[in-house]
Amino acid sequence: MLEVRNLSKTFGNKQIFSNYHLLIPEGQIIAIVGQSGGGKTTLLRILAGLETIDAGELLYNGESMSIDELEKRNLLGFVFQDFQLFPHLSVLENLTLSPIKTMGMTKEAAEKKAAGLLEKLGLANHAHAYPFSLSGGQKQRVALARAMMIDPEIIGYDEPTSALDPELRKEVEQLILKNRETGITQIVVTHDMQFAENIADQIIKIEPKH
Ligand SMILES: Nc1ncnc2c1ncn2[C@@H]1O[C@H](COP(=O)(O)OP(=O)(O)O)[C@@H](O)[C@H]1O
Ligand SMILES: [Mg+2]
């Protein structure tokens, strides 16, 4: 269970969250919906330890965690909007770069883990391909595999369908629903209400403050 208590966050003089509360039960799919500018991406970045907060408390299974600890614990694996794969690196290198550089994983261990994830996601034949040669759906799965390299307890997806053709939406739905069977917690940010309804155990709305 991930809990956000009394979260406040401003950018300059723009208040994004004030005394915001959120409960994310384990193993569920939580969809976060709402108009652009509401703070959905910011919330995911906070939970990944990539963004500071002004006030509030983040608890994981009842244990209070600082933003630094959140990042170190690799609690949340981030599937970035538009995937953000490194164009000059192969699929395999996209997966292994950060675990080797920032987590001290050996090259051998990282490549072994990456190969297993690529196999699981039907990408084994693309390990040495470069992102430009992949379809949107394949890039999406590479981004997911990359997020899973750190063995996160939560996967956060930022607008996972926004860069895909509409017919690929079903594929992403199935991917997320299949992950659910592994017991992993998933937070899916989207502005697509239908998509949210198709996948989510719970839908949470975040609207811009005026
Ligand atoms: N690094 C930043 N510096 C200043 N303003 C930011 C920054 N990141 C986000 N914002 C602002 O915070 C608000 C919420 O942004 P965001 O979390 O990206 O919303 P959403 O993902 O719901 O569209 C927006 O008004 C955005 O312009
Ligand atoms: Mg966003």
Side-chain angles (χ1 to χ4, degrees), residues 53-202:
I53 60 175
D54 302 331
E57 201 177 6
L58 299 156
L59 297 104
Y60 188 64
N61 293 335
E63 184 194 339
S64 182
M65 285 217 221
S66 69
I67 294 289
D68 280 353
E69 284 168 320
L70 270 178
E71 193 185 5
K72 275 203 211 93
R73 271 279 292 272
N74 290 317
L75 203 61
L76 186 136
F78 208 131
V79 182
F80 294 95
Q81 185 167 17
D82 304 341
F83 324 129
Q84 299 194 18
L85 302 177
F86 301 111
H88 60 294
L89 298 180
S90 70
V91 166
L92 189 68
E93 289 162 344
N94 263 280
L95 266 62
T96 59
L97 179 75
S98 161
I100 293 171
K101 278 214 161 150
T102 66
M103 292 175 64
M105 220 190 256
T106 64
K107 187 165 185 265
E108 196 183 20
E111 287 184 351
K112 192 167 169 216
K113 186 165 186 69
L117 284 167
L118 291 174
E119 174 79 46
K120 199 171 134 195
L121 289 165
L123 291 163
N125 294 333
H126 300 281
H128 300 289
Y130 283 82
F132 74 87
S133 69
L134 303 175
S135 70
Q138 288 168 336
K139 284 185 212 165
Q140 171 74 260
R141 279 180 282 143
V142 173
L144 174 59
R146 185 172 63 179
M148 292 172 83
M149 282 294 289
I150 59 168
D151 283 326
E153 277 146 274
I154 304 170
I155 301 175
Y157 304 82
D158 196 3
E159 306 276 5
T161 58
S162 65
L164 300 179
D165 293 337
E167 61 267 28
L168 280 175
R169 198 174 74 171
K170 275 271 166 264
E171 205 177 285
V172 181
E173 281 180 21
Q174 277 154 14
L175 203 58
I176 293 172
L177 289 170
K178 194 165 159 223
N179 265 339
R180 190 187 194 287
E181 293 165 15
T182 68
I184 198 159
T185 305
Q186 297 178 95
I187 305 175
V188 187
V189 162
T190 180
H191 56 245
D192 182 341
M193 200 57 198
Q194 186 61 54
F195 178 70
E197 277 171 7
N198 290 349
I199 57 166
D201 296 297
Q202 194 184 327

